[in-house]
Amino acid sequence: MHPDVSECERCQRLLPLKQGKCRYCTLLLKETEVDVSGIALVGGDQLWFGRELALRKSDRYLSGARTSGRFKAKARRDRAAARAKRPTSPHCIDPAQLQLFPTPPRDWGRLNPQDDYALTPKANLLLRDLSDYLRDQGVDPRLGGAATLRTLRVLTAHLGAEAPIRELDVKAIAALGDHYKGRRMVCFLRQRGILKPEPMHDAELVRARRVAGSLPSPFAEAVDLWIDVLLGQGSRSSPTLASGTIYSYVQNAHPTLKSWADSGITDLREITKKDVQAAIMGLPSARRHSVHPPLRSLFRALRRERKIFRDPARSVSLPTAVKLPTPLPSDRVRGILIKVEDVRSQFIVALVAVHGLVHNDLPALLLEDLDRSRGQLRVRRRGRLDHIVYLDELTSELATSWLRERHRRWPRTGNPHLLVSRVSATDEAGPKMSTEVTKTVFERVGISARKLRGDRIYDEARHTADPVHLMRLFGLGTTTAMKYITAAHPDKHPDPIQA
């Protein structure tokens, strides 16, 4: 008897086994795995011929390897038959149906992959259009665009393609895992006019309101009023601060307000100048200058809205050490353009290292601001006059090379900004490029954009003692220009005692 003879777990015969089954049962299961012809019997086996007409005893079937030929064709016919039997989703939206009440958020986390519904003809047409859109963007629908197509297939199979698709549903499905993506799909649906955008919410303001709500009632109401004043919504008109600045103010003032509430103070009208001084001086030196401005802004806003009688933080001041700029070592600046290879990175480095642009100015540059015929670049800065940069020969060549590279990679992009990334170029809304892209460039260089800009201005200040020249060349303010002149020419700075 064969040494490996055992009882087959399927037919219970004593035969040599592989993975618990004899050769006959293994071949039979392979033959009837895709039962398109209906040869598998319930409770028994189909009779087979022997000898030359017996089942082929190929090791491919026994090893579990992927087979081709008639087995692959049977599998395709089986999948086609299964697709033909799929029902239409009962949740398909009728575009003529009126809305009785706002639709609550759908819970796509309970999505069952087994609920594979049939697509309507309009949904199939929409999928084909999305495939063409991805090809125009240089994305292969079978590889990089497969996750995007899968997201649209799930949405249209459950909801249909007759009604607009909500952006909230697209993002909810894209958050389920890496095999779903929705960024390119949102751009496609927006371009087709069948996207229902989500309500615009400023995340920074939402977080600021949430921090204010965590305080006790009198303090929470005061902070909410303070946020309204910073947004220009007070009793008198005032300039509006950026949402990031408002959140930073509220976040930095929160620990001090919380400690006052825990100490038994029930109203901000009870706060005195000594309380403000004690709260600020009790902090580490690195934290004092981040807490002092928010507290002054808070009490100034409450005083203007007549919620308090006096401003206890008005006369509280902190000494500030003026740090003069210092040049970078020449070995760190030498060969800086060689450290980056792509044209966009070299153009970004040149704008900072040669023309002293601010890091946050780069993503906001527009295509219309670049005038190559005159060699000029306009820099728009909020609340200030536009700054005109006169490009040198190297930066002009890099700008031309970047425009060629931009057109080669994204010939159909409608983004109005001069600098674009792989994400912003394919977004039909035309957003600014993320600052993380420029941060990555200077991380590869090994020098921060702020230090590189400061070194360029300092080098120019060493060749001239005229602050007006620095103001015109780099768009500096009076105080900043004088700071660089003082650092570069300490002997020309007037002595305040002898003046």
Side-chain angles (χ1 to χ4, degrees):
M1 182 176 288
H2 195 277
D4 296 333
V5 168
S6 301
E7 183 179 339
C8 177
E9 64 183 25
R10 183 175 182 274
C11 64
Q12 285 79 42
R13 291 184 297 174
L14 295 176
L15 293 171
L17 306 181
K18 185 173 184 179
Q19 298 179 354
K21 298 180 181 64
C22 64
R23 179 181 293 271
Y24 173 78
C25 291
T26 302
L27 290 173
L28 186 62
L29 291 176
K30 283 290 182 181
E31 288 283 349
T32 59
E33 182 179 5
V34 180
D35 190 21
V36 179
S37 304
I39 61 176
L41 300 180
V42 179
D45 290 339
Q46 171 71 35
L47 294 178
W48 297 87
F49 291 100
R51 296 184 181 273
E52 293 82 4
L53 300 178
L55 296 177
R56 291 183 296 173
K57 301 177 181 180
S58 173
D59 290 338
R60 289 186 304 167
Y61 306 146
L62 300 181
S63 61
R66 183 179 179 183
T67 59
S68 59
R70 61 192 181 93
F71 290 100
K72 193 173 182 179
K74 287 170 66 176
R76 285 199 300 267
R77 292 199 303 270
D78 182 65
R79 289 194 298 268
R83 285 195 297 267
K85 295 179 181 179
R86 291 182 301 180
T88 305
S89 172
H91 309 291
C92 284
I93 301 175
D94 185 1
Q97 180 180 354
L98 298 179
Q99 184 178 15
L100 299 179
F101 50 86
T103 306
R106 298 185 178 93
D107 185 9
W108 291 100
R110 302 173 60 183
L111 180 65
N112 186 4
Q114 302 298 328
D115 295 339
D116 193 7
Y117 297 113
L119 296 179
T120 61
K122 192 170 183 179
N124 281 316
L125 181 60
L126 193 63
L127 281 171
R128 288 197 294 269
D129 291 345
L130 178 58
S131 299
D132 297 338
Y133 172 80
L134 293 175
R135 292 190 187 93
D136 290 341
Q137 297 294 333
V139 180
D140 190 348
R142 295 173 298 178
L143 299 176
T148 304
L149 288 171
R150 188 179 296 111
T151 305
L152 181 59
R153 186 178 295 109
V154 170
L155 273 172
T156 53
H158 284 77
L159 305 178
E162 284 71 20
I165 298 176
R166 299 194 308 178
E167 187 176 357
L168 287 174
D169 293 330
V170 178
K171 293 183 176 179
I173 294 180
L176 295 179
D178 295 336
H179 50 290
Y180 294 108
K181 291 183 180 179
R183 178 177 54 82
R184 292 190 178 96
M185 179 179 162
V186 169
C187 300
F188 166 72
L189 295 178
R190 185 187 297 115
Q191 183 179 1
R192 293 292 300 269
I194 56 176
L195 177 71
K196 185 177 181 181
E198 63 177 334
M200 296 299 294
H201 296 291
D202 196 317
E204 302 288 351
L205 291 180
V206 171
R207 285 196 287 266
R209 297 286 187 183
R210 188 182 299 119
V211 172
S214 64
L215 294 170
S217 179
F219 289 85
E221 296 173 359
V223 175
D224 278 329
L225 179 60
W226 176 34
I227 295 175
D228 293 338
V229 173
L230 296 180
L231 290 173
Q233 301 173 1
S235 58
R236 289 184 292 174
S237 60
S238 59
T240 303
L241 291 185
S243 57
T245 304
I246 296 176
Y247 172 68
S248 177
Y249 272 20
V250 176
Q251 183 71 13
N252 289 325
H254 177 266
T256 302
L257 298 176
K258 186 71 166 56
S259 63
W260 285 341
D262 295 340
S263 63
I265 298 177
T266 59
D267 199 320
L268 287 177
R269 285 177 290 188
E270 303 176 20
I271 302 300
T272 62
K273 178 181 177 180
K274 293 182 179 180
D275 295 328
V276 177
Q277 289 178 334
I280 294 177
M281 301 309 295
L283 298 172
S285 57
R287 285 275 300 159
R288 293 174 186 172
H289 291 280
S290 61
V291 176
H292 180 233
L295 291 181
R296 290 196 60 179
S297 175
L298 170 63
F299 287 107
R300 183 167 58 248
L302 296 179
R303 174 68 177 84
R304 198 185 71 167
E305 297 297 321
R306 298 184 179 182
K307 297 298 181 181
I308 58 177
F309 300 109
R310 62 185 183 279
D311 184 356
R314 180 177 182 179
S315 57
V316 177
S317 61
L318 293 177
T320 303
V322 179
K323 296 182 180 180
L324 295 179
T326 56
L328 289 172
S330 58
D331 57 342
R332 294 190 62 187
V333 184
R334 187 180 300 113
I336 191 171
L337 286 178
I338 306 178
K339 299 179 181 179
V340 289
E341 299 179 356
D342 58 296
V343 179
R344 183 184 63 186
S345 299
Q346 292 180 350
F347 184 42
I348 290 173
V349 172
L351 289 176
V352 176
V354 178
H355 300 283
L357 292 189
V358 183
H359 178 253
N360 292 333
D361 290 339
L362 299 177
L365 296 175
L366 300 177
L367 273 173
E368 62 182 18
D369 295 336
L370 177 62
D371 189 351
R372 289 189 296 156
S373 61
R374 297 182 178 181
Q376 296 180 2
L377 177 64
R378 173 181 296 178
V379 181
R380 305 170 189 263
R381 292 172 178 171
R382 182 179 178 183
R384 299 171 57 184
L385 295 176
D386 294 344
H387 173 51
I388 303 298
V389 175
Y390 297 92
L391 303 178
D392 63 321
E393 183 178 357
L394 173 62
T395 311
S396 297
E397 293 177 356
L398 291 175
T400 303
S401 301
W402 161 241
L403 291 179
R404 291 198 187 103
E405 177 69 12
R406 170 191 164 115
H407 179 72
R408 183 187 67 81
R409 296 182 62 182
W410 304 288
R412 296 178 180 270
T413 180
N415 196 303
H417 294 90
L418 176 62
L419 296 172
V420 294
S421 64
R422 177 176 55 86
V423 176
S424 63
T426 57
D427 196 334
E428 299 296 336
K432 294 191 297 184
M433 181 182 67
S434 173
T435 55
E436 294 297 327
V437 178
T438 53
K439 287 181 181 178
T440 305
V441 172
F442 290 101
E443 286 176 358
R444 284 185 290 172
V445 171
I447 306 175
S448 66
R450 180 181 59 83
K451 291 183 179 180
L452 192 60
R453 176 178 182 266
D455 181 78
R456 172 67 182 94
I457 301 175
Y458 183 89
D459 180 72
E460 187 69 26
R462 287 191 306 172
H463 295 83
T464 178
D466 185 7
V468 179
H469 174 73
L470 298 183
M471 295 169 63
R472 290 176 177 174
L473 186 60
F474 302 107
L476 304 179
T478 306
T479 305
T480 306
M482 287 303 302
K483 185 188 299 183
Y484 280 97
I485 294 296
T486 303
H489 306 279
D491 55 324
K492 297 184 180 182
H493 185 66
D495 190 346
I497 298 180
Q498 300 178 359

